[in-house]
Amino acid sequence: MTKDTEIDMKEVELNEMDPEKQPMTGDGQTGEKNGTIKLKVPEDEVTFTGLSKEELMKVAGTPGWVRTRWVLLILFWLGWLGMLAGAIAIIVKAPPCKPIPEMNWWNEGPLYQISDLEAFSDGLEGVEAKLDNMNQLKVKGLIIGPLHTVQADQPATLNLKLIDPSQGSEAALLSVVNKAQKKGISVILDLTPNYEGSSPWFSENADADLIEKVKDAAEYWLKLGVDGIKVSDVTVPAQSPDWSKLAAVVQGNRTEGTKNKLLMGVAKGISPPDVSQLVNTSGIDLLLSDLLTTQNAVMEKLTSMDLLSELKMQLGWGVGAAQGEQLTNQISAPGLTRLYQLLLFTMPGTPVFTYGDEIGLMGQGGASPKMVWDIEKEPAEGSVNETAEAIRKERVETRKWFRSLSDLRGKERSLLHGDFYRLEASNEALSFLRLWDQSDRFITVLNFASAPETITLKLQATEGVELPEQAKVRLSTDPDLEPETMLDLHSIKLGPGQGVLLQFPYVA
């Protein structure tokens, strides 16, 4: 064996040796040509462990660690006490929340009256199929009827407990009541005695026997589940000493834990002071007046709203509703329908509508107009009448506007039960502010003029209430005022017959 062969054999032996027995170089690495090899330790086999319990106990007692623990403990408690003090300071300095006024179901959304069931839904039985439609409009109460048996101007034929067969049946009415209540909609029954005659109470003075009949009928229907009673021309029976018996029956049917029963009256042709007196002395829960219809001047409307704003929980407002007619029939131009809807949904009080108001339905010739359903359905190709299609599209947009307003009113406290402040604008523009405590505030601006108006809003000096320089457009009938844009309150430009609802936040 040669010398070179011996060297090669030794290198093979070294390579096959156990790593622990292989010779190491001074720097911890194995040689390659000098008889040593490299040692490689896989990284995943390296583990790091903390101090053992004994080692920790030795360190924990050292002065340095003791001081560190005390410093951290003191800092923790100082921080905790600081946060507590800050929270207390915020609570003490923050203005207290204003208590929510007592609300009843008739204050929470619009009331929708159906005086002609045949025109509305082909009879009482058809009302059930329309309840989902009412729910979409956020309606809180349906006013149905009158339905009872009576011949015009014949008191002897009056039976307030019996439904006229031509109108439907008691079973059909109670079925509607039951289905509506399950959807969160209350039902009010109109018991106006002589609804087909010349005088709602047969004469200018309601006698005790007639009031007694209404009282007995009210008790009968309320016990069967009806949520409220309505009577028209309430100024007539309210003068009688027997009127209080009817109010007592409604109040007597209220039980703790259930929603209150409603006594609703309609008053026509009386002044704002007389409306106020009637509300305060009659025991009526909700009074619907015709002030918005009888007062044509913008300033008169605004003054009435201002005078009666404190009675907002007991007042209903409508345009045509007091007469049992559609809104569009009572206004000067059909194009103002959405303007009046904006007014009714944002002014203080309960908005009351007649069926069809949500689409701008108009009656003709004094007869009740037939309700139009399925307005979303587009006509088939080739059968489009341009005039009819334009009317259909306008009704779709009007209903969409109605729904937006109803939904907003139900969500915003300022619109639902907020305070009312009159704003000075112009002779043809009506504007007011609604606010509640720390909730967002709303300004309604309506231009009733036949020409464009540039409006500067002014608020009379009122402690704690100020107008901002700008406000956001929330809803608008004017195509030039897009929602979410900001408007300068010193220069609001509104087209003829247009309205806008502005919103701005509370600032402490």
Side-chain angles (χ1 to χ4, degrees):
M1 185 181 297
T2 63
K3 186 175 183 180
D4 290 338
T5 303
E6 290 181 0
I7 292 175
D8 291 338
M9 291 296 293
K10 287 181 179 180
E11 288 181 352
V12 172
E13 291 176 0
L14 287 172
N15 288 333
E16 293 178 351
M17 287 176 62
D18 187 280
E20 295 181 358
K21 298 178 181 179
Q22 294 181 25
M24 300 286 294
T25 61
D27 58 1
Q29 294 184 341
T30 60
E32 294 182 359
K33 297 296 181 179
N34 58 359
T36 61
I37 62 172
K38 292 184 178 180
L39 287 176
K40 292 185 179 181
V41 181
E43 292 183 1
D44 58 355
E45 293 184 8
V46 178
T47 57
F48 298 93
T49 58
L51 297 175
S52 64
K53 180 179 179 181
E54 291 76 12
E55 291 171 326
L56 283 172
M57 292 301 294
K58 291 179 181 178
V59 175
T62 59
W65 276 108
V66 172
R67 286 193 298 269
T68 301
R69 287 201 304 272
W70 275 107
V71 169
L72 291 174
L73 182 63
I74 292 171
L75 289 175
F76 167 78
W77 283 109
L78 287 175
W80 187 87
L81 290 172
M83 289 189 292
L84 179 62
I88 294 173
I90 291 173
I91 294 172
V92 171
K93 292 184 178 181
C97 292
K98 195 173 181 179
I100 301 294
E102 182 180 353
M103 300 278 291
N104 286 293
W105 55 264
W106 56 85
N107 304 126
E108 296 173 351
L111 302 183
Y112 189 96
Q113 61 181 13
I114 310 168
S115 53
D116 191 328
L117 290 167
E118 188 64 31
F120 178 72
S121 59
D122 297 324
L124 188 56
E125 290 78 5
V127 175
E128 287 186 30
K130 308 303 180 185
L131 290 176
D132 284 338
N133 190 288
M134 300 298 98
N135 222 8
Q136 292 173 3
L137 301 177
K138 305 296 189 247
V139 167
K140 292 301 178 183
L142 293 180
I143 305 171
I144 296 179
L147 305 175
H148 53 265
T149 301
V150 67
Q151 295 178 17
D153 302 320
Q154 300 293 321
T157 65
L158 178 65
N159 188 339
L160 291 161
K161 299 179 184 178
L162 180 64
I163 293 179
D164 189 328
S166 65
Q167 300 273 22
S169 65
E170 180 178 301
L173 174 60
L174 296 182
S175 179
V176 170
V177 171
N178 182 52
K179 297 288 177 57
Q181 290 173 344
K182 288 180 179 179
K183 295 180 181 294
I185 301 173
S186 301
V187 176
I188 305 157
L189 183 61
D190 194 330
L191 290 182
T192 302
N194 190 29
Y195 64 94
E196 292 188 338
S198 57
S199 174
W201 293 86
F202 295 105
S203 67
E204 294 182 359
N205 298 298
D207 58 42
D209 290 340
L210 182 55
I211 294 178
E212 184 69 20
K213 286 183 178 180
V214 176
K215 177 185 78 67
D216 289 345
E219 189 168 20
Y220 175 79
W221 290 111
L222 290 173
K223 286 185 176 179
L224 286 177
V226 169
D227 299 295
I229 299 299
K230 173 198 168 190
V231 290
S232 295
D233 280 10
V234 73
T235 51
V236 175
Q239 299 172 6
S240 169
D242 296 295
W243 170 258
S244 59
K245 297 178 182 178
L246 175 58
V249 163
V250 177
Q251 294 174 359
N253 276 273
R254 296 173 179 173
T255 56
E256 188 176 353
T258 62
K259 63 182 181 182
N260 286 337
K261 302 292 186 179
L262 168 68
L263 176 57
M264 180 179 179
V266 180
K268 295 184 287 186
I270 64 175
S271 66
D274 289 337
V275 168
S276 177
Q277 182 180 9
L278 187 59
V279 168
N280 290 320
T281 60
S282 64
I284 292 173
D285 299 305
L286 188 70
L287 180 67
L288 171 63
S289 79
D290 63 347
L291 287 172
L292 292 179
T293 305
T294 58
Q295 296 181 332
N296 295 321
V298 171
M299 289 300 106
E300 284 185 320
K301 289 181 172 65
L302 190 58
T303 299
S304 296
M305 292 161 56
D306 196 7
L307 290 172
L308 299 171
S309 61
E310 293 301 318
L311 299 173
K312 54 182 173 287
M313 295 301 174
Q314 297 164 276
L315 281 183
W317 294 92
V319 178
Q323 297 86 353
E325 297 181 4
Q326 278 66 32
L327 182 155
T328 307
N329 283 85
Q330 295 290 318
I331 59 180
S332 57
L336 298 179
T337 299
R338 285 187 238 179
L339 193 72
Y340 275 97
Q341 288 177 351
L342 175 57
L343 172 63
L344 290 169
F345 273 113
T346 58
M347 64 187 294
T350 298
V352 183
F353 297 95
T354 303
Y355 77 90
D357 283 351
E358 71 272 26
I359 61 172
L361 188 66
M362 179 184 288
Q364 306 214 349
S368 298
K370 188 74 173 177
M371 183 59 183
V372 180
W373 303 102
D374 299 326
I375 57 174
E376 301 283 348
K377 185 178 180 180
E378 297 185 1
E381 293 185 11
S383 61
V384 178
N385 179 292
E386 291 185 4
T387 301
E389 180 63 4
I391 293 174
R392 184 192 71 81
K393 289 182 177 179
E394 176 61 23
R395 286 172 172 170
V396 170
E397 292 303 314
T398 301
R399 188 176 187 275
K400 186 184 300 183
W401 173 256
F402 186 101
R403 286 184 62 180
S404 298
L405 288 169
S406 187
D407 184 61
L408 183 65
R409 183 186 183 275
K411 293 178 179 177
E412 296 291 346
R413 289 183 176 179
S414 292
L415 297 177
L416 197 57
H417 50 70
D419 298 327
F420 173 91
Y421 293 91
R422 174 177 179 169
L423 299 179
E424 302 298 333
S426 68
N427 291 332
E428 293 296 331
L430 185 153
S431 60
F432 53 87
L433 168 67
R434 299 293 307 280
L435 63 87
W436 180 259
D437 199 24
Q438 301 173 38
S439 300
D440 281 359
R441 286 93 193 279
F442 291 87
I443 298 174
T444 299
V445 188
L446 309 171
N447 179 20
F448 288 94
S450 57
E453 287 269 336
T454 299
I455 301 164
T456 299
L457 298 181
K458 296 179 182 178
L459 175 65
Q460 296 179 351
T462 305
E463 184 178 354
V465 181
E466 294 182 358
L467 291 180
E469 292 294 321
Q470 291 185 321
K472 180 179 68 175
V473 176
R474 183 61 186 264
L475 293 170
S476 173
T477 65
D478 196 321
D480 293 332
L481 300 179
E482 292 289 337
E484 303 301 319
T485 58
M486 300 300 292
L487 282 188
D488 185 349
L489 299 189
H490 298 289
S491 180
I492 299 175
K493 296 180 180 179
L494 273 179
Q498 302 297 332
V500 62
L501 181 64
L502 305 173
Q503 180 178 1
F504 62 95
Y506 164 81
V507 178

